Amino acid sequence: DPPMPDWVCECANTACMKPVRLTIAEYEAVRASSTRFFVLPAEEHLSPAVEHVVERYDRYWVVEKIGEAAEVSEELDPRT
């Protein structure tokens, strides 16, 4: 089995430091798009005004930023 490091939840709550377990490949797949982030699989980690869930897994959900939040995400992405 590939290693599954703990990453920090990328929800909009800046105080949230909860661990999310993803393989490196899963992390890279999510972050390949500058508007997609991973959060813990629970409604309280969603911000419907700025994002929607695009994929749901047992260990994490993938959210995509929308509107102005998507534009900011793209501008701040160090990968682009």
Side-chain angles (χ1 to χ4, degrees):
D1 288 345
M4 278 203 290
D6 284 338
W7 308 87
V8 175
C9 182
E10 295 184 313
C11 70
N13 177 359
T14 55
C16 179
M17 298 298 287
K18 296 192 180 203
V20 181
R21 302 199 79 201
L22 284 81
T23 66
I24 292 170
E26 288 169 335
Y27 173 86
E28 292 294 337
V30 173
R31 297 301 295 131
S33 171
S34 59
T35 57
R36 291 193 174 190
F37 299 87
F38 56 87
V39 299
L40 284 170
E43 295 294 326
E44 61 265 22
H45 291 275
L46 299 179
S47 298
V50 296
E51 66 197 11
H52 60 267
V53 178
V54 292
E55 297 174 36
R56 293 175 190 257
Y57 301 101
D58 290 342
R59 290 178 280 108
Y60 65 97
W61 289 350
V62 178
V63 296
E64 185 163 41
K65 300 293 183 187
I66 53 177
E68 189 174 326
E71 292 171 21
V72 171
S73 296
E74 288 170 349
E75 288 171 18
L76 297 177
D77 187 356
R79 297 169 182 243
T80 58

